[in-house]
Amino acid sequence: MRKPLPLLDEAALYQYAVGALGRQMRTVAELKRLMSRRVEPGEPGESKVAAVVERLLDQHYLDDPAFASTYTRLRQENQGFGKRRVQQELTRKGVQAELVASAIESAYAEVSEDELARRYIARKRIEKPQDDKQTARLIRRLVGAGFSFAIITKLLKTWDIDCSEVDLAE
């Protein structure tokens, strides 16, 4: 069994938080979750976490709107993910819904999701499916990458594949 982590005072908790942010960008919710494991439970611990978060926000080390914008842009440009996938990830990271919506709208405004799906397929070296089982696997993969069924259907039609007959449960 693991030894419990030592509890931190406010100054040490601040240093811990700065170190965590130095390794990886995080949302306010993620950082709070991380810090809550290093303080005593209840009101004393919550007040330490709140004080550290307030200090980091004042210093602009924590900035959820900037995080959402940067994260969305990077996931779209580097991984080629569709809107839905990025939206789900930001929501899971604790970003507020209106921030998620505005970040996605601005990042995907100039991008054709159809073209993004084509680039995703090219980057992953996905070839034309030869049977219904491969087609179903491709559809599930594209849905997992965040592309809408309308975009996937349009893409499959360029390969002369009718996806209305495909059983996705295979």
Side-chain angles (χ1 to χ4, degrees), residues 74-91:
L74 291 174
R75 296 299 272 177
Q76 181 229 330
E77 291 174 2
N78 296 343
Q79 277 85 27
F81 287 145
K83 292 178 186 178
R84 187 173 295 139
R85 169 86 179 252
V86 177
Q87 178 184 15
Q88 290 169 343
E89 289 178 358
L90 284 172
T91 302

Side-chain angles (χ1 to χ4, degrees), residues 10-157:
E10 191 175 321
L13 189 63
Y14 174 79
Q15 291 302 317
Y16 173 74
V18 169
L21 289 170
R23 288 185 296 279
Q24 177 182 337
M25 40 181 217
R26 299 177 193 277
T27 63
V28 172
E30 286 179 306
L31 195 61
K32 281 182 177 180
R33 201 170 23 249
L34 204 62
M35 289 190 302
S36 68
R37 291 183 251 164
R38 301 300 303 264
V39 295
E40 60 272 11
E43 178 58 38
E46 289 174 19
S47 66
K48 286 179 189 175
V49 169
V52 169
V53 166
E54 193 62 38
R55 185 172 169 193
L56 293 169
L57 286 168
D58 289 344
Q59 296 171 331
H60 302 289
Y61 285 171
L62 267 179
D63 186 355
D64 276 2
F67 174 89
S69 175
T70 303
Y71 187 87
T72 301
R73 184 181 51 79
L74 291 174
R75 296 299 272 177
Q76 181 229 330
E77 291 174 2
N78 296 343
Q79 277 85 27
F81 287 145
K83 292 178 186 178
R84 187 173 295 139
R85 169 86 179 252
V86 177
Q87 178 184 15
Q88 290 169 343
E89 289 178 358
L90 284 172
T91 302
R92 192 171 35 248
K93 288 181 174 291
V95 179
Q96 296 170 345
E98 55 273 2
L99 285 179
V100 171
S102 67
I104 287 177
E105 185 165 326
S106 64
Y108 285 86
E110 302 294 318
V111 177
S112 158
E113 232 183 324
D114 192 28
E115 181 58 32
L116 199 59
R118 290 180 199 289
R119 285 197 312 239
Y120 179 83
I121 284 176
R123 197 177 91 246
K124 296 293 184 177
R125 296 185 177 99
I126 298 172
E127 295 179 5
K128 178 181 176 180
Q130 302 302 315
D131 57 23
D132 283 355
K133 188 173 182 178
Q134 289 180 353
T135 303
R137 187 178 299 133
L138 174 60
I139 292 171
R140 287 191 303 270
R141 187 167 181 182
L142 290 172
V143 165
F147 298 105
S148 69
F149 202 69
I151 296 289
I152 296 169
T153 304
K154 191 175 174 184
L155 188 67
L156 291 175
K157 283 184 181 174

